[in-house]
């Protein structure tokens, strides 16, 4: 084909763009068709022409495309059209569309912390497999861990809460449909932390957006930012906001916990299989004179540890959050985000109107202020106060949900996720029935979303795709731990809860094949009675 001169090339692009814009509503028949999968589908539009498309009347998600450029194939990534834009009022998104090799599927990635940026780079592994991929900034610009000044805006609060993920999916899939002349055959979402919360929000409030959802270590921004993060900061930080415990002291505590509980599962490997089985007494590591020592904790440090293990309570002893820090998470308690997550949420997100500029997280009153932040929980969390999760619509449409959580998560208590899962399956037909469409995987030794001295990297994308497209439920996935050089140290299978990995007693303890699925002799009721929990439909026997 003869290469067009720049002037004629621009004219041609304009003609194509004009046709694309006028044809937006005229080729409904073509747009109503779902794409075939794994067929190396090619674009029906010139990449650069996309900027001229008028999406300002897109129902529910008025959209403007601000840039589109063609990016050459490189390093295992196919040639793609890189599209940027925003959904009203300011939900910035980025969309990357393979131009010659689209596999017929759409993928959207979640964000982290307070978000504020478009983390399209977290789609790289999926783009390399020829998905159309998208990411967004959840409606505002800012650092994902520092002060969320944008919280002064009611629109920004709304979009961060539940709207941004949904309307980004609407806009992105509309562009995908026009670009290829067909709708995605299947749509997938993956996210951890805030992204995990996004996934559960989608499943409950917008069940038609995604066929398969992977939600990890879900950080419910309302109950965390308003309650749990503030509680942990109060006890793990001194009045000057320096850590109560140094790295060395945290390791003393962590190693004492490991020594006491590591072997409960029959294998001494530095990993606690289920922290609930650990009955460690923190007071056993208190220095005799009450002061901090090289191999023991001070009286104040022991008291702080007891508070965060137990979790938030008011002066009447009522639980304010479903659980506290778990045994095995101590090595990550000294996070740099302890202060910023707690202080930022309390100053800019939780109260209406925002408190005075002098207000800090230490001014939060766990008695008087709890009723004042119910609106924040309603706005930011998938489940509103005093209600239970309701995923009946997602189940009815055939959606598949994989939820995972690190047992040693220092940022979000895994007990919160266990409570969530139990609230779902006790109301939607029981555990066995729920496992037909919703499975939970607990990851021993893993910190928040990653890290920890345990196998903590894994890929649930093939599993959720097989479940959605072939009806093959995930029986397990292999987790891997690598050393600093990238060499594999050990692998271990993760099985769907309540099953867990049990050592076969004879193989290489670091090999996944040496671990088999086991089921607890007695299943527990994982629901937790807390101040904003749902009204029980059956007696609750979970941890109190």
């Amino acid at each position: 084909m003869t290469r067009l001169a720049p002037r004629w090339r621009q004219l041609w692009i304009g003609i194509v763009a004009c046709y694309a814009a006028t044809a937006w509503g005229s080729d409904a028949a073509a747009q109503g068709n779902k794409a075939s999968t794994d067929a190396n589908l090619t674009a029906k539009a010139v990449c650069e022409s996309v900027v001229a498309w008028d999406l300002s009347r897109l129902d529910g998600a008025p959209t403007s495309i601000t840039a589109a450029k063609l990016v050459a194939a490189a390093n295992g990534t196919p040639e793609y059209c890189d599209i940027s834009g925003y959904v009203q009022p300011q939900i910035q998104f980025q969309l990357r569309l393979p131009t010659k090799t689209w596999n017929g599927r759409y993928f959207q990635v979640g964000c982290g912390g307070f978000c504020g940026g478009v983390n399209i780079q977290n789609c790289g592994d999926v783009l390399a497999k020829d998905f159309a991929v998208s990411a967004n900034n959840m409606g505002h610009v800012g650092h994902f861990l520092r002060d969320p000044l944008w919280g002064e805006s009611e629109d920004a609060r709304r979009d961060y809460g539940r709207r941004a993920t949904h309307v980004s999916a609407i806009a992105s899939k509309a562009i995908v449909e026009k670009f290829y002349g067909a709708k995605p055959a299947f749509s997938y979402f993956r996210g951890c932390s805030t992204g995990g919360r996004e996934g559960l929000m989608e499943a409950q409030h917008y069940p038609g957006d995604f066929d398969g959802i992977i939600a990890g270590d879900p950080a419910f921004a309302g109950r965390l930012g308003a309650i749990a993060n503030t509680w942990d900061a109060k006890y793990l930080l001194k009045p000057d906001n320096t850590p109560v415990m140094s790295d060395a002291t945290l390791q003393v505590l962590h190693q004492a916990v490991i020594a006491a509980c590591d072997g409960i599962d029959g294998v001494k490997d530095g990993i606690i299989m289920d922290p609930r089985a650990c009955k460690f007494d923190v007071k056993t590591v208190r220095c005799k004179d009450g002061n901090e020592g090289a191999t023991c904790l001070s009286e104040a440090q022991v008291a702080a540890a007891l508070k965060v293990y137990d979790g938030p309570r008011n002066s009447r002893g009522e639980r304010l959050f479903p659980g506290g820090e778990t045994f095995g998470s101590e090595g990550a308690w000294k996070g740099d985000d302890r202060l910023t997550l707690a202080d930022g949420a309390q100053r800019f997100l939780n109260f209406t109107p925002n408190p005075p500029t002098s207000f800090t997280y230490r001014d939060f009153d766990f008695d008087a202020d709890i009723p004042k932040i119910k609106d924040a929980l309603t706005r930011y969390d998938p489940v509103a106060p005093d209600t239970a999760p309701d995923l009946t619509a997602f189940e009815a449409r055939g959606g598949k949900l994989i939820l995972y959580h690190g047992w040693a998560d220092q940022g979000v208590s895994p007990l919160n996720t266990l409570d969530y899962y139990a609230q779902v399956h006790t109301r939607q037909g029981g555990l066995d029935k729920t496992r037909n469409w919703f499975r939970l995987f607990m990851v021993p030794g893993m910190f928040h979303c990653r890290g920890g001295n345990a196998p903590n990297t894994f890929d649930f994308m093939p599993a959720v795709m097989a479940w959605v497209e072939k009806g093959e439920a995930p029986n397990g996935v292999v987790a891997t731990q690598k050393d600093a050089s990238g060499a594999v140290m050990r692998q271990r299978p993760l099985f769907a809860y309540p099953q867990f990995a049990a050592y076969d007693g004879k193989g290489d303890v670091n090999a996944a094949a040496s671990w088999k699925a086991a089921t607890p002799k007695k299943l527990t009721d994982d629901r937790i009675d807390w101040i904003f929990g749902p009204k029980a439909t059956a007696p609750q026997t979970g941890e109190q």
Side-chain angles (χ1 to χ4, degrees):
M1 180 177 179
T2 304
R3 184 182 180 91
L4 295 174
R7 178 167 174 265
W8 287 105
R9 173 176 164 77
Q10 291 302 316
L11 179 61
W12 170 250
I13 290 174
I15 293 171
V16 172
C18 181
Y19 169 78
T22 56
W24 185 268
S26 65
D27 58 351
Q31 294 183 34
N33 297 328
K34 283 192 174 182
S36 57
T37 55
D38 303 315
N40 290 332
L41 303 177
T42 58
K44 303 299 183 183
V46 176
C47 177
E48 293 88 343
S49 73
V50 175
V51 292
W53 291 357
D54 180 9
L55 280 70
S56 63
R57 293 177 176 81
L58 190 60
D59 189 23
T63 299
S64 176
I65 298 176
T66 57
K69 64 179 181 179
L70 191 65
V71 178
N75 302 318
T77 299
E79 178 185 275
Y80 64 88
C81 184
D82 192 5
I83 301 168
S84 298
Y86 69 94
V87 181
Q88 188 184 63
Q90 273 297 312
I91 301 170
Q92 298 176 9
F93 68 89
Q94 197 167 349
L95 183 62
R96 292 180 174 175
L97 308 180
T99 57
K100 303 173 183 177
T101 58
W102 184 42
N103 68 12
R105 301 174 179 90
Y106 171 75
F107 171 84
Q108 188 168 317
V109 73
C111 209
F114 296 130
C115 199
V118 182
N119 59 337
I120 192 69
Q121 70 279 0
N122 289 347
C123 299
D125 62 314
V126 184
L127 177 61
K129 296 177 182 177
D130 300 310
F131 283 70
V133 302
S134 179
N136 71 89
N137 73 344
M138 300 190 75
H140 57 268
V141 174
H143 191 276
F144 77 109
L145 288 179
R146 291 201 293 268
D147 296 338
L149 303 181
W150 49 266
E152 185 70 20
S153 163
E154 181 66 21
D155 284 345
R157 288 188 176 195
R158 174 203 63 193
D159 292 348
Y160 178 66
R162 71 173 61 170
R163 180 173 175 266
T165 312
H166 171 58
V167 297
S168 293
I170 292 176
S172 295
K173 287 196 278 188
I175 295 170
V176 167
E177 182 179 349
K178 189 63 188 178
F179 192 73
Y180 297 109
K183 295 180 179 180
F186 302 101
S187 296
Y188 297 96
F189 179 90
R190 180 183 72 193
C192 196
S193 191
T194 291
R197 188 256 298 185
E198 291 177 70
L200 298 184
M201 188 75 80
E202 283 288 306
Q204 177 157 335
H205 298 283
Y206 305 105
D209 282 352
F210 298 100
D211 303 294
I213 293 173
I214 303 168
D217 297 47
F220 289 8
R223 62 179 73 171
L224 275 172
I227 303 172
N229 288 344
T230 301
W231 181 269
D232 287 351
K234 176 181 178 180
Y235 290 103
L236 291 177
L237 298 177
K238 298 176 183 178
D240 64 356
N241 291 323
T242 58
V244 167
M245 296 180 234
S246 66
D247 289 339
T249 302
L250 288 175
Q251 281 305 309
V252 169
L253 176 59
H254 180 65
Q255 292 305 320
V257 170
I258 294 297
C261 301
D262 179 15
I264 292 176
D265 61 356
V267 180
K268 289 193 175 184
D269 55 1
I271 302 172
I272 298 175
M273 182 64 68
D274 184 340
R276 296 174 301 180
C278 181
K279 307 302 179 185
F280 176 71
D281 182 358
V282 183
K283 296 177 183 178
T284 60
V285 293
R286 186 182 70 86
C287 297
K288 291 182 179 180
D289 62 2
N291 297 315
E292 182 178 6
T295 59
C296 53
L297 277 63
S298 70
E299 186 73 45
Q301 290 169 336
V302 168
L306 289 171
K307 286 291 187 180
V308 297
Y309 281 134
D310 184 51
R313 293 183 186 267
N314 60 22
S315 63
R316 295 181 296 278
E318 297 171 311
R319 281 205 174 277
L320 304 179
F321 183 85
E325 299 282 2
T326 52
F327 290 122
S329 64
E330 307 81 14
W333 282 4
K334 191 188 168 186
D336 294 336
D337 55 2
R338 286 281 178 216
L339 170 62
T340 58
L341 289 176
D343 206 49
Q346 295 294 14
R347 293 170 60 201
F348 301 109
L349 296 181
N350 297 335
F351 293 96
T352 304
N354 282 333
T357 55
S358 59
F359 187 92
T360 76
Y361 75 94
R362 289 190 178 275
D363 295 314
F364 185 81
D365 189 318
F366 288 94
D367 288 318
D369 285 338
I370 290 297
K372 300 176 184 177
I373 50 83
K374 287 188 72 172
D375 180 64
L377 275 70
T378 301
R379 184 189 307 270
Y380 304 127
D381 295 353
V383 186
D386 308 316
T387 67
D390 183 359
L391 304 183
T392 52
F394 185 75
E395 176 189 4
R397 70 169 295 268
K400 300 295 185 288
L401 175 56
I402 291 177
L403 177 61
Y404 67 88
H405 206 122
W407 264 125
D409 188 335
Q410 80 287 1
V412 182
S413 175
L415 303 179
N416 183 66
T417 290
L418 286 166
D419 171 73
Y420 176 92
Y421 189 57
Q423 298 292 351
V424 173
H425 69 66
T426 55
R427 289 170 169 80
Q428 291 190 219
L431 182 57
D432 288 342
K433 182 176 181 292
T434 300
R435 281 165 55 94
N436 290 331
W437 59 275
F438 180 13
R439 295 195 174 190
L440 168 64
F441 293 80
M442 301 301 293
V443 188
M446 187 176 80
F447 293 154
H448 186 58
C449 293
R450 63 186 68 82
N453 182 28
N456 57 67
T457 60
F458 39 83
D459 184 5
F460 276 113
M461 276 301 294
V464 77
M465 289 173 62
W467 203 4
V468 167
E469 299 178 26
K470 301 177 182 178
E472 300 173 358
N475 292 320
V477 64
V478 174
T480 300
Q481 181 180 9
K482 297 181 179 180
D483 62 21
S485 70
V488 174
M489 294 172 58
R490 52 184 170 180
Q491 293 183 310
R492 188 163 301 179
L494 305 174
F495 296 109
Y497 188 82
Q499 289 188 320
F500 60 93
Y503 178 54
D504 66 9
K506 55 182 181 296
D508 179 359
V509 73
N510 294 321
S514 301
W515 296 78
K516 309 299 180 184
T519 303
K521 294 180 180 179
K522 182 180 179 180
L523 299 182
T524 61
D525 184 346
D526 294 321
R527 292 174 295 172
I528 295 176
D529 185 15
W530 67 294
I531 194 169
F532 290 144
K535 302 300 183 288
T537 57
Q540 293 190 343
T541 59
E543 178 194 349
Q544 305 296 310

